[in-house]
Amino acid sequence: MTDTAVAPHRGLEGDEPAAAWRHQVIYEIYPKSFADDNGDGVGDVNGMRSRLPYLARLGVDALWIAPWYPSPGADGGYDITDYRSIDPAVGTLAEAERLVEEAHEAGLRVIIDLVVNHTSDQHPWFVAALKAGPGSAERARYTFRDGTGTDGSLPPNNWFSAFGDRAWTRITEPDGRPGQWYLHTFAPEQPDLDWTNPEVHSEVVDILKFWFDRGVDGIRADAVPAMAKTAGLPDTPYDPALGFQSAIWTDAPNWDTHEIHAIMREWRAVADAYDPPRFFVAEAVTCSAERLANYLRPDELHAAFNFDFLRAGWDAARILSAINTTLETLQPVNAPATWVLSSHDETRHVTRFGRADTSASLMGFDLDLNSDIAKGTRRARAAALLQLALPGMACLYQGDELGLPEVTDLPEEALQDPIWERTGHTSRGRDGCRVPLPWGGTEPPFGFSPAGTRTWLPQPDNWRHLTVESQESDPQSMLTLYREALTWRRAYPDFRTGGFSWLDTPPEVIAFRRGKGIVCVVNLGATDFPIGDLGTIILLTSGPTNGGGLPPDTAAWIAAPSERSAP
Ligand code: NOJ
């Protein structure tokens, strides 16, 4: 077996201020579904506080808390009415401040979500814009335009919403006449801010400082490529069959325009003025890895979620290509890679990996519900070892560590994601990955809320074997696997700062070396793969091995003899 070294990955080391983030494991918390302290069936800040010991024991380094701000909930909290406080259903600002302090005491950093492509339609700015009328300073904070056609009854251009249907909604003016249209890249309840307006810039800088002053360590920036639009708002050349999901994004006037980068530089300067400097991770879906790297230039954001890896599914060639492309494109900008398998927007990977099509479609648009969960779980275990051995940051979504499957049979009346309505009930959207976590007990609410409470999304009755409580005492459980993997990752510097080189294996097997001694090997093929000559000391496997053979859908971490020491 020979090693093929890839160009040294500069992102592995460094003494620049953000170096400390380069190998962190981030754990995404979806607040309403993590833990419910006050017994109303909705997760809350005090629930998070009570579970900090669990998160510290799991071995992650940082928490990303999805939006916790006041919100009417038209898009799961991504429609915000007040950026400087906490949704009363979730807690108070004082509790959030305590959470940040307590997380720091537990050795965990805190990243919060910043959603400023749009506000809620109930944000005071938008309410004022509706009242103020065309041409007003209030309307200029958003993207209002007159309609087209003889009576203005046609939208200003052909843009689609990311959630399906058109991206414009016509309002009724204060005098009762049909009026202007406003742009919403997402739901109509999420009007797009106008980032050509300096007032929008200064407001967001002030919001950043508000949270940085409270000790928040970083920001996950939502929907970054949507923020700046090409002047004049020209039509987009969509593929008519694909609509917004269209691949023709390279020069789309509504996505990933050059103007966005000035905003990124403005934010970076704010973060760099803090001690320690604050950190940004971007949610930026782009048409190519090169375009993504543009957001990670030294004076822009620090890292970005890796959707190529997530979309690669359980396919050796696609995974290999995603890893290579990621490392190659991030090297020139010296940004760390991130490795993501699931999030609050994706079908959970246990379910995806058990399907015929294992890739992610993004935003829950997939309708293939049949899945072999046992197979998906086996693969998810192997994928965890792959994800945690790759160089850079790993991003876990709450419940990954429990091997939760997607809940594909939520009753229709329980569905809350706007995608369900906006696609005319053709896509169930993302609620199935947002079901409250099972902590303990044998029946819903599984310790998420006090017994007898109805949770905001119903949990399946058959999750008793997936609870934290039942997995803690099971040496074969997904939770045990994650804890062990994260322990080894901390114990061996090679996992964090060691170089990366591919090993020469058959195409259906992925194998690479980190540093001098650690090898990660993943068998995506249909027959056992002999691992005898990769090293004799097996640190961890995702499933049983057959003597010297690694079975299909199984991964192993192997160390050279000199590397072994118990963590
Ligand atoms: C990306 C978020 O992750 C998603 O949940 C949300 O619907 C959109 N951005 C709009 O804010």
Side-chain angles (χ1 to χ4, degrees):
M1 200 138 327
T2 54
D3 287 23
T4 314
V6 288
H9 187 53
R10 284 203 293 141
L12 292 173
E13 287 171 52
D15 53 6
E16 83 284 17
W21 285 91
R22 289 178 170 274
H23 330 290
Q24 301 255 302
V25 178
I26 299 178
Y27 181 97
E28 180 191 353
I29 291 183
Y30 192 72
K32 284 174 74 179
S33 302
F34 185 67
D36 169 23
D37 178 74
N38 67 0
D40 62 358
V42 178
D44 46 41
V45 176
N46 285 343
M48 293 178 219
R49 289 171 63 194
S50 72
R51 301 293 181 177
L52 287 172
Y54 166 80
L55 294 164
R57 160 97 173 83
L58 178 61
V60 298
D61 303 297
L63 313 178
W64 152 28
I65 301 171
W68 55 1
Y69 313 96
S71 163
D75 179 22
Y78 283 86
D79 48 318
I80 297 168
T81 54
D82 180 357
Y83 291 83
R84 296 178 183 80
S85 68
I86 302 293
D87 192 325
V90 169
T92 65
L93 184 58
E95 289 163 1
E97 289 171 347
R98 284 297 296 145
L99 170 73
V100 174
E101 283 165 24
E102 289 167 2
H104 289 166
E105 282 157 24
L108 298 163
R109 293 176 171 167
V110 177
I111 297 172
I112 60 169
D113 229 301
L114 181 72
V115 187
V116 289
N117 170 67
H118 45 268
T119 68
S120 161
D121 63 344
Q122 294 179 38
H123 187 285
W125 272 15
F126 194 73
V127 173
L130 292 183
K131 284 201 192 116
S136 61
E138 287 83 354
R139 288 233 172 142
R141 294 164 173 157
Y142 293 90
T143 312
F144 280 89
R145 293 289 184 279
D146 293 333
T148 55
T150 47
D151 55 358
S153 64
L154 297 175
N157 69 21
N158 75 343
W159 293 358
F160 278 95
S161 148
F163 292 156
D165 214 339
R166 65 185 171 207
W168 294 92
T169 291
R170 193 173 195 187
I171 63 159
T172 302
E173 296 294 350
D175 63 6
R177 282 182 300 123
Q180 288 194 297
W181 297 71
Y182 69 90
L183 178 67
H184 48 88
T185 300
F186 298 93
E189 295 86 354
Q190 296 168 293
D192 280 32
L193 289 163
D194 183 345
W195 276 91
T196 64
N197 184 337
E199 193 187 358
V200 171
H201 287 248
S202 55
E203 172 70 359
V204 172
V205 164
D206 195 68
I207 292 166
L208 286 173
K209 291 179 178 168
F210 179 88
W211 289 105
F212 290 159
D213 288 344
R214 281 165 177 73
V216 161
D217 303 280
I219 293 289
R220 178 265 191 191
D222 184 71
V224 166
M227 291 202 319
K229 285 85 180 172
T230 301
L233 313 186
D235 279 354
T236 292
Y238 292 113
D239 175 335
L242 294 172
F244 192 88
Q245 300 288 309
S246 164
I248 317 171
W249 278 2
T250 323
D251 291 307
N254 58 335
W255 200 262
D256 191 17
T257 63
H258 298 296
E259 289 75 8
I260 295 164
H261 298 285
I263 308 171
M264 301 299 102
R265 287 192 280 270
E266 180 177 51
W267 292 1
R268 177 63 178 260
V270 175
D272 281 352
Y274 280 81
D275 182 19
R278 306 310 200 236
F279 175 83
F280 284 105
V281 55
E283 188 230 11
V285 179
T286 54
C287 64
S288 72
E290 287 76 16
R291 295 287 285 250
L292 183 62
N294 285 343
Y295 291 87
L296 306 178
R297 289 175 285 202
D299 57 350
E300 299 196 31
L301 307 189
H302 300 88
F305 293 102
N306 188 341
F307 292 107
D308 282 351
F309 182 71
L310 187 142
R311 284 178 181 151
W314 194 246
D315 177 308
R318 288 190 65 188
I319 292 174
L320 192 118
S321 151
I323 295 171
N324 272 333
T325 308
T326 301
L327 297 180
E328 280 159 19
T329 49
L330 295 183
Q331 205 209 350
V333 290
N334 193 24
T338 67
W339 309 105
V340 190
L341 293 168
S342 279
S343 79
H344 68 283
D345 286 333
E346 315 298 342
T347 302
R348 284 192 178 272
H349 59 276
V350 160
T351 299
R352 282 194 286 112
F353 289 168
R355 287 178 174 166
D357 177 357
T358 58
S359 67
S361 59
L362 294 184
M363 293 285 195
F365 275 90
D366 42 8
L367 278 176
D368 169 11
L369 300 184
N370 295 320
S371 175
D372 176 343
I373 296 296
K375 185 199 269 184
T377 302
R378 232 174 13 251
R379 292 174 169 178
R381 292 174 66 90
L385 295 198
L386 170 65
Q387 175 188 31
L388 293 172
L390 286 166
M393 306 175 71
C395 304
L396 313 184
Y397 175 49
Q398 65 178 39
D400 284 2
E401 81 280 18
L402 303 177
L404 294 188
E406 183 83 359
V407 181
T408 53
D409 59 355
L410 284 169
E412 290 185 359
E413 60 279 10
L415 295 179
Q416 317 226 353
D417 190 344
I419 289 177
W420 173 241
E421 291 300 333
R422 287 190 66 81
T423 59
H425 298 186
T426 58
S427 169
R428 294 173 69 85
R430 300 159 291 175
D431 293 315
C433 67
R434 300 175 178 178
V435 170
L437 288 193
W439 290 95
T442 54
E443 57 187 34
F446 293 116
F448 171 80
S449 300
T453 312
R454 274 167 69 104
T455 53
W456 73 280
L457 282 174
Q459 298 161 309
D461 291 334
N462 62 358
W463 271 10
R464 60 185 292 179
H465 301 296
L466 293 171
T467 65
V468 171
E469 185 182 44
S470 74
Q471 297 201 34
E472 278 194 308
S473 53
D474 176 1
Q476 308 304 329
S477 71
M478 187 74 91
L479 179 58
T480 302
L481 179 76
Y482 268 89
R483 282 181 174 169
E484 287 179 352
L486 289 165
T487 304
W488 283 114
R489 185 181 159 107
R490 282 192 171 189
Y492 278 119
D494 273 350
F495 278 119
R496 303 189 301 277
T497 52
F500 176 91
S501 52
W502 288 115
L503 300 183
D504 184 16
T505 51
E508 66 281 8
V509 174
I510 291 179
F512 54 87
R513 191 183 302 279
R514 296 296 316 281
K516 292 200 195 77
I518 309 272
V519 167
C520 173
V521 52
V522 191
N523 184 1
L524 292 97
T527 55
D528 284 11
F529 176 70
I531 50 173
D533 62 346
L534 289 178
T536 46
I537 299 170
I538 298 193
L539 298 181
L540 194 57
T541 62
S542 65
T545 52
N546 289 329
L550 189 69
D553 297 334
T554 308
W557 285 357
I558 303 171
S562 61
E563 287 291 321
R564 187 163 211 249
S565 62

